[in-house]
Amino acid sequence: MKADNARPHVARVCRQFLDDEGIDAIDWPSRSPELNPIEHIRDVMSRCIRRRQVAPQTVQELTDALIQVWEEIPQDTIRRLIRSMPRHCREYIQARGGHTHY
């Protein structure tokens, strides 16, 4: 379980619940996109949209393009990102919260 420093995640009652349930939470730095798989998916989607020959011109066109790109992302890509998270976390811990190559 992650604690991302958002108010609900650091509230005393939440921390007590985690402790009571035996759930270990790691300190989760705010603004650490390299530790968030969805940020990597957003990057994939953004690159796909930018590679289009004709850029979306309206909000609806952009919405449609994003839906299409989302549906075309191979499940294997998503699985690889999820499986990479322990490696990302280890590297982040070794860097003591500093820069990683992700």
Side-chain angles (χ1 to χ4, degrees):
M1 166 150 266
K2 75 176 186 174
D4 62 4
N5 298 330
R7 181 174 258 165
H9 297 145
V10 295
R12 174 183 259 160
V13 68
C14 292
R15 301 298 287 166
Q16 187 62 51
F17 174 80
L18 295 175
D19 290 343
D20 291 348
E21 296 296 317
I23 298 171
D24 293 327
I26 63 173
D27 290 331
W28 201 269
S30 59
R31 298 187 184 141
S32 55
E34 69 276 4
L35 296 178
N36 186 347
I38 196 66
E39 295 298 331
H40 297 280
I41 293 295
R42 285 180 188 161
D43 181 56
V44 167
M45 293 177 73
S46 177
R47 282 185 277 125
C48 287
I49 296 293
R50 279 189 251 125
R51 280 196 302 257
R52 290 177 171 240
Q53 288 182 349
V54 178
Q57 300 298 308
T58 66
V59 171
Q60 187 59 54
E61 287 178 5
L62 178 59
T63 300
D64 293 343
L66 287 168
I67 290 169
Q68 180 184 3
V69 167
W70 172 256
E71 290 173 347
E72 292 173 354
I73 295 174
Q75 279 298 305
D76 191 54
T77 299
I78 295 169
R79 283 189 201 98
R80 275 196 326 271
L81 284 170
I82 292 168
R83 287 185 193 128
S84 74
M85 291 315 298
R87 187 175 63 248
H88 288 232
C89 290
R90 278 192 301 276
E91 186 169 325
Y92 188 82
I93 290 166
Q94 288 174 348
R96 297 199 162 126
H99 179 71
T100 68
H101 80 275
Y102 297 106

